[in-house]
Amino acid sequence: MATQAARIPVAKTYKIYIGGKFPRTESGRYYDLQNAKGKVIANICRSSRKDFRNAVVAARAAQPGWASASAYLRGQILYRIAEMLEGRREQFIAEMTVQGVGKKAATEEVDAAVDRLIYYAGWADKYQQIFSAVNPVASSHFNFSVLEATGVVSILAPESSGLLGLVSNIAPTIVGGNSCVVLASESLPLNAVSFAEVLHASDVPGGVVNLLTGYRSELAGQFASHMDVNAVICCDADDDTAADIQVKAADNIKRVIARDGINWSKATAASPYFVADVQETKTTWHPIGS
């Protein structure tokens, strides 16, 4: 009697997220994600420059509509993201542990990510009250300064915090009306791709958040040099990468926001100033009197 052959497990091939859809990388390239024992646990898309350009096109198309949505609606959608993440809590914890994060630490990180989304949802209709102003002037005018979204923001996510660090940069970026293109952690990418599925089910318009995976060394220059990106957030860059981003971003006077050495689990890693970092200040003069 023939014996049953041992089953060969199938490693999942994770896709990227562009314009509200889940395409495979146009490059056809992947890298093996391995656990601590060297076993392949997933195939991760190695995104190309073309993928990044496609993501920027999607982000630019989505940004005006997202920026014109009411603050109340943006807050409600961020809250919905938190609800959906909470509902898939066990999946995210399992993904973290398979990547080598301890169960206790994984649980704390997922819970903190949910809390952080709710934190920024609450700021949706409040940050203008903090950072806007009526300015004193010497002439017969009212002078107002208010914040506006800067546009499309590229984000090089933290390498050591695959979910909480990712959420802590996406949430303050989009709550103020920006769209974004994000490169996930190279060594801890699983939660990022699953987070794209959460976004997809959370009323976030397609193109507002676009998530890529791949090698930072291949894509960091594109994130900084693309002429239709208005600001770049760079987390935990080494000295050479940080200097290269500054030089390339200067060509179109792109704002560079460096976030280095931040412990994303601390309360100090959540701040309305992260919202203000990716806002422009518009000042309006209005005459008064005759």
Side-chain angles (χ1 to χ4, degrees):
M1 182 176 178
T3 57
Q4 186 176 4
R7 181 178 181 277
I8 301 174
V10 178
K12 181 178 178 179
T13 299
Y14 285 76
K15 298 180 181 179
I16 53 180
Y17 185 56
I18 298 175
K21 299 179 180 177
F22 292 91
R24 298 181 188 277
T25 172
E26 65 82 29
S27 71
R29 300 178 304 167
Y30 298 86
Y31 68 94
D32 295 337
L33 182 67
Q34 301 179 351
N35 62 15
K37 297 181 179 178
K39 179 183 177 183
V40 176
I41 54 177
N43 302 307
I44 305 299
C45 281
R46 193 170 155 188
S47 300
S48 67
R49 295 179 180 184
K50 179 68 162 54
D51 293 322
F52 177 73
R53 290 196 295 270
N54 291 343
V56 172
V57 170
R60 179 58 66 191
Q63 195 272 327
W66 179 244
S68 64
S70 68
Y72 174 79
L73 178 60
R74 291 200 299 268
Q76 287 293 300
I77 290 178
L78 258 73
Y79 192 88
R80 178 64 175 163
I81 299 171
E83 287 180 332
M84 298 300 288
L85 181 58
E86 177 84 28
R88 296 175 64 166
R89 181 171 175 270
E90 295 305 320
Q91 175 195 347
F92 278 80
I93 293 171
E95 286 178 344
M96 259 185 226
T97 54
V98 80
Q99 293 175 110
V101 180
K103 180 71 176 291
K104 182 175 183 295
T107 302
E108 291 174 350
E109 181 167 346
V110 174
D111 291 347
V114 173
D115 294 347
R116 192 130 313 162
L117 285 163
I118 292 173
Y119 172 85
Y120 282 112
W123 275 108
D125 58 357
K126 299 177 183 66
Y127 71 90
Q128 289 279 9
Q129 300 172 46
I130 301 297
F131 296 110
S132 299
V134 177
N135 309 308
V137 292
S139 58
S140 299
H141 294 84
F142 283 124
N143 184 284
F144 305 93
S145 292
V146 297
L147 299 189
E148 287 188 346
T150 194
V152 176
V153 180
S154 60
I155 302 173
L156 296 163
E159 183 60 29
S160 60
S161 181
L163 179 63
L164 182 56
L166 182 86
V167 168
S168 298
N169 284 278
I170 290 176
T173 298
I174 66 173
V175 77
N178 298 291
S179 57
C180 61
V181 181
V182 188
L183 181 63
S185 168
E186 186 175 316
S187 59
L188 299 169
L190 296 189
N191 282 156
V193 186
S194 295
F195 187 66
E197 296 173 359
V198 168
L199 294 170
H200 192 66
S202 302
D203 302 328
V204 181
V208 171
V209 180
N210 304 273
L211 271 160
L212 305 180
T213 54
Y215 293 169
R216 178 181 281 210
S217 58
E218 290 182 350
L219 294 171
Q222 290 294 306
F223 273 60
S225 63
H226 195 292
M227 298 300 282
D228 203 25
V229 171
N230 303 99
V232 54
I233 297 173
C234 183
C235 301
D236 301 332
D238 57 49
D239 291 344
D240 291 341
T241 302
D244 187 55
I245 287 173
Q246 289 282 0
V247 170
K248 290 178 175 173
D251 281 345
N252 71 335
I253 320 178
K254 189 187 281 84
R255 185 181 302 184
V256 178
I257 301 144
R259 291 176 180 159
D260 300 320
I262 295 176
N263 184 340
W264 297 103
S265 65
K266 298 288 187 182
T268 52
S271 168
Y273 287 97
F274 284 15
V275 181
D277 281 349
V278 282
Q279 297 285 304
E280 304 291 341
T281 302
K282 181 177 75 175
T283 298
T284 301
W285 293 72
H286 190 281
I288 58 174
S290 57

